[in-house]
Amino acid sequence: MQVPPPSLKVWRSALSQRKDVSFKSYPGLNHMYIYYSKNSTGEEYKLPGNVPEEVITDVANWIHLGMKDLSKNGEEADPFVIE
């Protein structure tokens, strides 16, 4: 577990009034989004692994949502330019 449940509760509470915030948990994944079932020691970051398709899809959807928000505000949304 990388982020203990009490910490998540604090974030949920602090951002509860925001309409543009959502939370998603990926049980069993470490900070690198790799499955790891033991307690974190940092050594697991040296192990090879693959990011699950679900995470890749969620990140891609999040990026596309942000691009739509930019377009709504009249800004040019270019997914290949990071400023």
Side-chain angles (χ1 to χ4, degrees):
M1 180 183 327
Q2 298 286 327
V3 178
S7 293
L8 183 56
K9 288 179 184 177
V10 171
W11 280 102
R12 284 184 187 272
S13 176
L15 299 170
S16 64
Q17 300 302 311
R18 300 271 306 260
K19 301 289 185 209
D20 60 342
V21 174
S22 63
F23 297 89
K24 179 130 187 202
S25 178
Y26 299 99
L29 299 183
N30 63 20
H31 272 86
M32 302 298 289
Y33 295 105
I34 306 297
Y35 283 108
Y36 192 72
S37 62
K38 300 175 186 174
N39 288 333
S40 176
T41 64
E43 289 298 311
E44 71 273 15
Y45 299 126
K46 297 177 184 176
L47 301 173
N50 295 308
V51 176
E53 184 176 343
E54 173 190 12
V55 174
I56 295 169
T57 300
D58 288 346
V59 171
N61 289 338
W62 176 72
I63 291 169
H64 287 143
L65 182 63
M67 300 310 293
K68 287 179 185 176
D69 288 345
L70 284 175
S71 294
K72 285 181 196 173
N73 293 327
E75 299 177 40
E76 187 172 331
D78 186 342
F80 301 104
V81 175
I82 300 173
E83 296 179 7

